[in-house]
Amino acid sequence: MEKEAPLAALMRPRTLDEFIGQDHIIGPGRLLRRAIQADQFSSLIFFGPPGTGKTTLALLIANTTRAHFIAINAVLCGVKDIREAISTAQSRKKEYNQRTILFVDEVHRFNKSQQDALLPWVENGTVILIGATTENPYFEVNKALVSRSRIFQLKPLNEADLRRVLEQALTETERGYGKLSVRVEPDAIAHFVNVANGDARSLLNALELAVETTLPDADGVIHITLAVAEESIQQRAVLYDKEGDAHFDTISALIKSLRGSDPDAALYWLAKMIYAGEDPRFIFRRMLILASEDVGLADPNAVVVVNACANAFEWVGMPEGRYHLAQAALYLANAPKSNSVMGFFDALAMVEKEREAEIPNHLKDANRDKKGLGHGAGYLYPHAYRDHWVAQQYLPRNLQGQVFYQPSTQGFEGEIKMQVQRRREAQLEAVAEGVFVSPIEVLTTGPTHRTIDRWLQRTLSQGGEQLEKVRDRIFTLAQLQRHHVVLDLNAGSGLLTFEALRQVPEGGVYACRRTSAEALALQEQVATLPELQRPVVLTATLTQLPDVLATQISDIRFDCMIGRNAFIHEPDKSAAAQRLVQLLQPSGVLVLAETIPRYTQRLYRLLDSSKLNTDLYQRLVAAEEAIYRDKLDPMVNWDAWDLRQALESVGLGVDVDENRTFTQMQITPALIDRWFTTTSATNRPSYAAHLAKNLTKQEIRVIKELFIRSLLYQTVDWESVIVFVQASFWSKQ
């Protein structure tokens, strides 16, 4: 059977190292990879288009787990099969104390009764569910099952991934064509990759057909030309299910493009729906709604034109009826917009006790999965802006700037020609300046672990108000996704580490401390967390970090590196930056909050200068300022400009925001004693030791007594400067 299996089945990866793509799920350091390697699973649902690796991931788990693995297909199985699987799981648990993983392919095909039959056994741990589906689980899978599972969204493979799949098949000797002499021309490779459209299975099927139907030449070489490739795979498969997620997302994109007055995007989404076989009557019905909802009285003729096009379509049919679809869409896209008819719904809301209306988001339909997958986030409502238009992109990222519609100079179209051109220019300018960037789609989600959440919140609440503000600012700049791998460069007591754990539950967190004692303290602090949820604690300086990491996990690159006062202890900040940049993903970001000691609160400013003689006060000022002018002291010989230079020198684009803050601080006996002690708990000289370079012991004693008399138990505004840094390879230079 293996010999007769198709190439796509033979080339299915057997190990994680062979798996290509989906780095956001199984890249180094991420939760799912760690779970597979540690054989520790909770229930999972893999969601994504065909040929992206859902079943392969399940089989990889089957090959590595010590648990009993049962695989069923929801299309072929019913409640009886579920009961048999549950019975087997119970027997395994009782006789061998062995867990059971139940893999359900096409899990969305289970009806409600089948899903209900499965639910209690997932809930009580009899089986660990791994589901695979091409449909949005928030629409098609029992909500109770979804809430108890981690959801991983797989994306279509990119061009580089598909080329690696093709190369792997051509060089693999046991399962692929490595033993044959196959030469694929570059144009043929480009065609395979382009038409496969992110589907590895489609790519391998096309390659197999090309190789198996092409005779070798006199030298035994099988030449795959562009012509052969075009015969092997002729038409791009479009992911589109008339009752599924793609259907709702695409019609949502069309309607929002029409509402946003973008004729190019409207034609693109209309063409995609027609190409995929959508019912034109459904599209006309939605355009008729929009003609009143979003154009309304601004152009009362809009509903007349769309209705006439719909009637004409009934007479003409396809394929010529596409002219009427395009005409209706172009008319609506270029029509002036008014939502004044929405006044009816205001009245209706009053009748219905002001029931809250749903707010639309950007392009994707967010009816039931906004919190889980972030679909629709960031949509800018055109009616909220002047002239009912905003410079917002409606085309896919790779098609931004593409022009499909060229208005003529005749009649009404001539009147809108200048408007269309100006809006296109404004859209391109907004993208160029980064004014509008489409929000990143959330690719993973999972159930909330209440115990962990309470533990993290309790830990975080130990920080003061100022630290919480710093933490929040860092994570606002970081823009973490749930699947990211994060490195805390200076974990301290865990202020940033614990928030990172909360924000990347399907990713991974690494926390660095400078000394073994500090690292041990943090490890003891996180010991109560489940093993897979714990951060990996490292002991290293910033310059030592890459070497220490290499001993823990090879080839790891971080989506985000964060740090609070991470660079303050580094004598050579450029060298530290050079080492750290090796650990950053090409699309990653480095976010820092660094206190600049050079600008910290001066103690002499807390005193009343009239309480000391003028000469002593002036020498006190000079002695204290000398502390911060020492060019040999790495603690104080730098500022924000130096940090920017260090990061820019290693190829990063850097944004810097310097903040002067004032924090309430009470002057206590312990604090004064620490200032005036002769020995310091750290290796650095104390305040009194610095003063001793210019003042006598008696003068220092007088100053200390003045601090005690005038400031003891007083609350003062303590001044400090914190610089927030956001650096990446793609930031503006």
Side-chain angles (χ1 to χ4, degrees), residues 520-590:
L520 180 60
L522 186 59
Q523 286 175 330
E524 291 174 350
Q525 202 172 353
V526 302
T528 57
L529 289 174
E531 184 177 352
L532 283 178
Q533 270 73 49
R534 296 174 195 166
V536 178
V537 181
L538 309 167
T539 304
T541 63
L542 296 192
T543 52
Q544 296 168 342
L545 194 50
D547 297 328
V548 172
L549 268 170
T551 65
Q552 298 276 342
I553 181 170
S554 60
D555 300 326
I556 190 167
R557 295 292 181 270
F558 294 97
D559 300 288
C560 182
M561 293 190 289
I562 54 177
R564 186 175 70 86
N565 294 336
F567 274 75
I568 197 171
H569 300 291
E570 294 295 329
D572 188 343
K573 292 173 175 54
S574 294
Q578 184 66 54
R579 295 288 280 164
L580 284 182
V581 78
Q582 304 170 22
L583 302 174
L584 193 62
Q585 289 272 22
S587 60
V589 61
L590 169 66

Side-chain angles (χ1 to χ4, degrees), residues 603-604 620 624 627 674-676 685-692 707:
L603 298 186
Y604 66 80
L620 169 63
E624 187 169 345
I627 300 172
R674 190 166 78 242
W675 291 342
F676 288 92
S686 67
Y687 178 66
H690 280 291
L691 296 184
F707 271 106

Side-chain angles (χ1 to χ4, degrees), residues 45-55 73-75 103-110 131-141 151-156 199 201 238-247 249 364 369 373 375:
I45 295 178
F46 298 134
F47 152 48
T52 53
K54 301 182 296 297
T55 303
N73 189 300
V75 176
F103 171 57
V104 182
D105 202 4
E106 304 291 338
V107 66
H108 64 280
R109 298 292 187 182
F110 271 159
T133 173
T134 56
E135 302 297 329
N136 190 330
Y138 286 93
F139 287 82
E140 303 296 340
V141 180
I151 296 176
F152 292 91
Q153 184 179 3
L154 282 73
K155 304 298 288 182
D199 185 335
R201 185 184 298 110
V238 175
L239 176 62
Y240 196 88
D241 186 335
K242 294 183 183 180
E243 296 180 357
D245 207 29
H247 163 82
D249 285 340
K364 281 199 171 184
D369 61 1
L373 300 176
H375 288 177

Side-chain angles (χ1 to χ4, degrees), residues 278-296:
E278 180 60 78
D279 183 357
R281 293 172 182 83
F282 168 75
I283 301 174
F284 271 123
R285 185 176 69 83
R286 292 301 301 267
M287 288 196 292
L288 278 167
I289 295 170
L290 184 136
S292 290
E293 179 184 358
D294 291 291
V295 178

Side-chain angles (χ1 to χ4, degrees), residues 226-272:
L226 176 60
V228 173
E230 288 175 339
E231 290 179 359
S232 302
I233 180 169
Q234 298 178 352
Q235 187 173 9
R236 179 190 297 268
V238 175
L239 176 62
Y240 196 88
D241 186 335
K242 294 183 183 180
E243 296 180 357
D245 207 29
H247 163 82
F248 291 105
D249 285 340
T250 310
I251 189 60
S252 174
L254 171 63
I255 295 304
K256 289 173 180 175
S257 300
L258 294 172
R259 180 187 294 143
S261 302
D262 189 326
D264 302 307
L267 287 180
Y268 173 80
W269 296 118
L270 176 65
K272 181 175 181 179

